[in-house]
Amino acid sequence: MKLIIQIPCYNEEKTLELAYNDLPRHIDGIDTIEYLIINDGSQDNTVQKARELGFHHIVSFKQNKGLAKGFMAGIDACLHLGADIIVNTDADNQYCGADIEKIVRPILDGKADIVIGERPIDQTEHFSWKKKKFQHLGSWVVRIASNTDIPDAPSGFRAYSRESALRLNVVNEYTYTLETIIQAGHNKIAMTSVPIRTNPETRPSRLFSSMWRYMKRSSTVITRSFVMYKPLKFFGTIGAVLFILGVILGIRFLVYMALGEGSGHIQSLILTAILIMMGFQTISIGLLGDTISANRKILEDVQYRVRKADCEKKEDKQL
């Protein structure tokens, strides 16, 4: 059983040693533990520091591509290196390395394919009151969108089995945390969470440079992911509301017309026609999106098979 711990890095020269020293060297049930960094276009000595510390693998971008692309590059590299379990953690030592054993245990025991670390958000001192509330709100929205019970959706401390990693597919360029939960929820991948500990803050969060900007980008990711996986539900609900409003206004107009007062309510008739047409068109968009979604599922299955065959071929060459 091989575990690879990956760490996305962007100018992490000062904190990388803290994170590295906190990583586990042995876990019961794991035969081999290796460490990998994803250098996301760092402009400091992050790569040199990683080599000095003894990281086994380095994936490097020439320029910054963002957390989502870095995460997926690391996942692909870990799969090609033969990882049976992949753990993602942060280079700023936000998460307690000893808890890696806790998040891989459900996978080792065959109880889950994805395990997400649940931070003690309400007890984290460097989180502002506003940040705590937005974290809870965002996690609640993701639970609704994904039909899961993950309490800490933005947590980047997580473990993936090889099978679940082969099925990962992130299309947004901002963050992988929210989209992968929604994807896993709709694909019925076994997922759970475990409580973890966090360390004192070593640097300000880069995702939270602006609370409102973070909310805007996160809500875009959630909405886009939900529309991608449940287009008929999304557009069908909107279309049904518009259609029903149109029907209600239409009945209202008919009542007035029966009372001989229809001539004074022509505007209602026009609005009725507009709402019914908009409702019908929105539902039609949902049906079209549902057809596209079915084709996307086929493409995801093809991608999974190609990725699996490619990884197995490279592993055979290494042997």
Side-chain angles (χ1 to χ4, degrees):
M1 183 67 69
K2 184 175 183 178
L3 165 66
I4 297 183
I5 302 170
Q6 70 169 35
I7 305 179
C9 294
Y10 179 63
N11 296 335
E12 305 289 2
E13 176 188 2
K14 295 180 179 179
T15 59
L16 187 57
E17 186 170 0
L18 285 173
Y20 178 80
N21 290 335
D22 205 29
L23 297 177
R25 269 56 182 176
H26 171 77
I27 296 175
D28 290 340
I30 301 291
D31 301 311
T32 305
I33 301 177
E34 295 180 358
Y35 315 118
L36 176 147
I37 71 160
I38 304 104
N39 170 42
D40 193 11
S42 297
Q43 299 173 347
D44 63 0
N45 293 319
T46 295
V47 173
Q48 181 180 343
K49 189 68 176 179
R51 291 194 177 109
E52 292 174 356
L53 290 170
F55 277 85
H56 301 88
H57 312 286
I58 297 175
V59 176
S60 196
F61 294 154
K62 293 180 180 179
Q63 66 178 23
N64 183 263
K65 295 188 177 182
L67 185 58
K69 287 188 178 296
F71 170 79
M72 284 306 302
I75 290 293
D76 285 339
C78 291
L79 288 170
H80 287 140
L81 290 166
D84 297 296
I85 301 176
I86 302 169
V87 167
N88 188 88
T89 187
D90 282 0
D92 62 357
N93 202 38
Q94 174 186 173
Y95 308 109
C96 183
D99 287 340
I100 287 177
E101 182 171 4
K102 292 177 65 176
I103 67 171
V104 302
R105 186 57 53 190
I107 296 176
L108 290 172
D109 293 342
K111 296 179 180 179
D113 285 306
I114 299 176
V115 184
I116 298 174
E118 178 190 355
R119 297 167 293 177
I121 293 175
D122 291 327
Q123 287 75 44
T124 303
E125 295 181 358
H126 62 269
F127 281 8
S128 66
W129 178 86
K130 184 167 62 173
K131 183 174 181 178
K132 292 175 182 178
K133 295 304 178 184
F134 283 138
Q135 289 272 18
H136 288 307
L137 175 62
S139 296
W140 176 77
V141 173
V142 171
R143 286 196 295 274
I144 298 300
S146 62
N147 194 28
T148 64
D149 58 356
I150 300 301
D152 187 8
S155 172
F157 192 50
R158 45 183 70 188
Y160 294 90
S161 69
R162 182 176 181 82
E163 188 69 15
S164 65
L166 283 167
R167 294 189 177 277
L168 284 178
N169 187 26
V170 179
V171 297
N172 84 90
E173 297 183 355
Y174 181 51
T175 178
Y176 62 91
T177 56
L178 309 178
E179 182 178 343
T180 50
I181 292 176
I182 295 173
Q183 180 190 38
H186 289 300
N187 288 338
K188 307 299 182 183
I189 297 175
M191 184 166 43
T192 188
S193 67
V194 295
I196 58 166
R197 296 164 290 173
T198 55
N199 296 316
E201 186 179 33
T202 57
R203 61 162 173 77
S205 172
R206 289 168 180 158
L207 283 178
F208 276 92
S209 57
S210 166
M211 181 64 68
W212 295 110
R213 184 183 179 192
Y214 174 80
M215 286 184 60
K216 178 182 177 182
R217 298 188 72 172
S218 296
S219 60
T220 300
V221 171
I222 295 171
T223 302
R224 183 179 180 184
S225 300
F226 184 72
V227 172
M228 184 185 301
Y229 291 99
K230 292 290 183 180
L232 184 57
K233 185 175 182 179
F234 181 83
F235 290 107
T237 300
I238 296 174
V241 171
L242 293 172
F243 191 88
I244 291 171
L245 287 175
V247 170
I248 292 173
L249 281 175
I251 294 173
R252 176 176 176 271
F253 174 78
L254 291 175
V255 170
Y256 277 115
M257 189 173 68
L259 296 174
E261 301 177 7
S263 59
H265 297 275
I266 299 299
Q267 297 91 337
S268 296
L269 181 61
I270 296 173
L271 184 58
T272 293
I274 293 174
L275 288 173
I276 290 177
M277 289 175 61
M278 288 177 62
F280 178 77
Q281 290 176 342
T282 305
I283 293 172
S284 298
I285 292 172
L287 291 170
L288 178 61
D290 192 57
T291 303
I292 296 173
S293 179
N295 289 328
R296 178 192 50 74
K297 290 179 182 177
I298 295 173
L299 291 174
E300 282 186 349
D301 187 57
V302 172
Q303 181 190 52
Y304 161 77
R305 294 175 184 274
V306 171
R307 183 183 284 173
K308 184 176 182 179
D310 184 47
C311 291
E312 290 174 349
K313 186 184 297 184
K314 290 193 176 183
E315 287 177 21
D316 291 339
K317 287 182 179 180
Q318 291 174 359
L319 294 174

